[in-house]
Amino acid sequence: MKKNDNLDFRKFTSRSEADKAINSLKGILMGINFDTNINDIEIQELDNWCQKHYDLINRNPFKEFMLLIRESIKNSSIRKDTLEDLYWLCQKYEHDSIYYNAVTSDLQTLQGICHGIISDGVVKDSEIFELDKWLDRNEHLISYYPYDEIKSLVTSILSDGKVDDDERKRLLAYFNEYSKIETVDIAQKIENETSNILISGICTIDPQVEFKGKSFCFTGIAKRSPRSELISVVNNLGGSYIDNVSKNTDYLIVGDNGNPCWAFACYGRKVEKAIELRKKGQKVSIIHEFDFWDFVEDYK
């Protein structure tokens, strides 16, 4: 690669890094404000954001971002107004950026929201309900990781209209996997409280399934029919069956086996492999067998 090509590539990636940093900041601001009570610990996490992205200070508008955050640290009496100005500036940059991509931006914002919610080491009920509203407003992300997993988890937790301590810890554990808390004592607190919480595969909520030219893999024990019938159905509808999950897998179907806790249970190596691939950007949909059969009926 020539020197000029390197410069052009760095120019492009630095803009991408700037977009990612700003989307993350926007999400953190939303997350810490979900309960309308901004505390010193949450402000410290904003200061950590400044330190992490200090090398961008000479790029517009990072200097303004960092000045506003510093001002909110020094003067708590104007903190609310200062952070509202900061959020407005994030939105203005987003709309002005020629590199803006709606899906990428919204997924980065979601990561920031999770980060903001746990920035003080606590997941509050009001934050969960506000997150649920945000998820409902952004259903265009339904087939993307980690939106689908977060949406499924939050929907399940709020199905009875309340949040118990175990469910709150599960959210804390999941958000912690998806975020990186920079405040050491808060990160350690979260680690201690969630060390016994197992986070594993969660199936896509309200999935969209196509058969023609798509590859399917199965895991678990199917409740409705033997696996041989599942394979036959896929083949007859124009899809193909593969034994193991790979980057070429489009759908992993999870057998229910009568377990009401299927969304949180560990289904072994295939689900773990699918999640690893999703985190690397591969679009593998993890689908409950009942949803699979619903689409089979629609195709008949």
Side-chain angles (χ1 to χ4, degrees):
M1 185 179 286
K2 296 178 181 178
K3 183 177 181 180
N4 286 341
D5 290 338
N6 272 322
L7 290 174
D8 289 341
F9 177 75
R10 182 58 196 157
K11 184 178 180 182
F12 175 79
T13 54
S14 65
R15 285 175 177 169
S16 176
E17 288 168 6
D19 281 354
K20 183 176 181 180
I22 292 171
N23 289 327
S24 173
L25 175 60
K26 177 185 172 186
I28 292 172
L29 289 167
M30 293 173 67
I32 66 176
N33 199 43
F34 271 169
D35 64 351
T36 68
N37 179 31
I38 303 167
N39 59 47
D40 290 340
I41 300 174
E42 292 169 329
I43 290 297
Q44 178 59 49
E45 197 61 27
L46 286 175
D47 187 42
N48 292 335
W49 180 92
C50 290
Q51 295 176 40
K52 181 178 180 180
H53 300 291
Y54 189 77
D55 59 322
L56 296 170
I57 195 168
N58 292 320
R59 283 190 60 87
N60 178 47
F62 282 85
K63 190 170 186 178
E64 291 86 345
F65 285 160
M66 294 180 187
L67 285 172
L68 285 169
I69 291 173
R70 299 297 184 195
E71 187 63 29
S72 70
I73 293 171
K74 289 190 299 181
N75 194 341
S76 60
S77 64
I78 62 168
R79 183 172 288 172
K80 187 175 185 297
D81 285 343
T82 304
L83 296 186
E84 285 178 356
D85 288 342
L86 186 58
Y87 183 74
W88 174 85
L89 195 57
C90 287
Q91 290 181 303
K92 187 176 187 302
Y93 176 89
E94 173 185 279
H95 294 148
D96 290 346
S97 174
I98 62 173
Y99 291 91
Y100 174 80
N101 175 279
V103 169
T104 299
S105 173
D106 290 340
L107 289 173
Q108 290 169 352
T109 298
L110 176 58
Q111 186 274 337
I113 289 172
C114 296
H115 188 151
I117 287 174
I118 67 171
S119 61
D120 59 354
V122 180
V123 178
K124 303 178 185 72
D125 289 11
S126 57
E127 293 171 330
I128 301 170
F129 283 103
E130 286 300 317
L131 172 61
D132 188 48
K133 291 177 185 176
W134 188 92
L135 294 169
D136 285 343
R137 292 195 301 270
N138 290 273
E139 288 189 337
H140 60 284
L141 301 174
I142 196 71
S143 62
Y144 292 91
Y145 172 87
Y147 174 95
D148 51 358
E149 292 191 359
I150 294 174
K151 176 64 174 172
S152 181
L153 181 55
V154 171
T155 298
S156 176
I157 286 174
L158 295 181
S159 61
D160 59 358
K162 59 184 179 181
V163 186
D164 62 35
D165 288 341
D166 288 341
E167 291 169 334
R168 204 172 286 107
K169 281 187 178 181
R170 188 173 294 281
L171 283 171
L172 183 63
Y174 187 84
F175 293 168
N176 191 47
E177 283 206 346
Y178 189 46
S179 310
K180 180 174 172 54
I181 297 299
E182 303 291 343
T183 305
V184 176
D185 55 340
I186 296 298
Q188 188 60 56
K189 174 181 180 291
I190 294 172
E191 186 68 27
N192 292 340
E193 291 182 4
T194 62
S195 60
N196 63 338
I197 303 294
L198 176 65
I199 298 297
S200 57
I202 299 173
C203 294
T204 301
I205 188 169
D206 192 23
Q208 299 298 312
V209 179
E210 298 177 8
F211 286 92
K212 191 172 182 180
K214 302 296 183 179
S215 60
F216 292 75
C217 185
F218 299 98
T219 189
I221 302 174
K223 186 173 185 179
R224 176 167 165 174
S225 62
R227 186 169 298 188
S228 59
E229 184 177 339
L230 294 171
I231 295 172
S232 177
V233 167
V234 166
N235 291 332
N236 290 338
L237 292 175
S240 60
Y241 168 75
I242 53 177
D243 286 322
N244 295 302
V245 175
S246 72
K247 65 181 181 180
N248 297 318
T249 306
D250 294 298
Y251 302 101
L252 174 63
I253 312 302
V254 179
D256 178 73
N257 194 27
N259 184 355
C261 298
W262 64 269
F264 310 114
C266 178
Y267 280 88
R269 60 184 178 82
K270 289 184 180 178
V271 168
E272 288 183 0
K273 179 65 175 178
I275 291 173
E276 286 176 13
L277 288 169
R278 283 152 63 99
K279 289 180 177 179
K280 293 176 182 178
Q282 299 292 329
K283 197 172 179 181
V284 183
S285 293
I286 305 175
I287 295 175
H288 189 273
E289 71 162 298
F290 292 159
D291 288 322
F292 169 81
W293 284 113
D294 285 344
F295 278 96
V296 169
E297 295 299 324
D298 289 342
Y299 264 76
K300 290 182 178 179

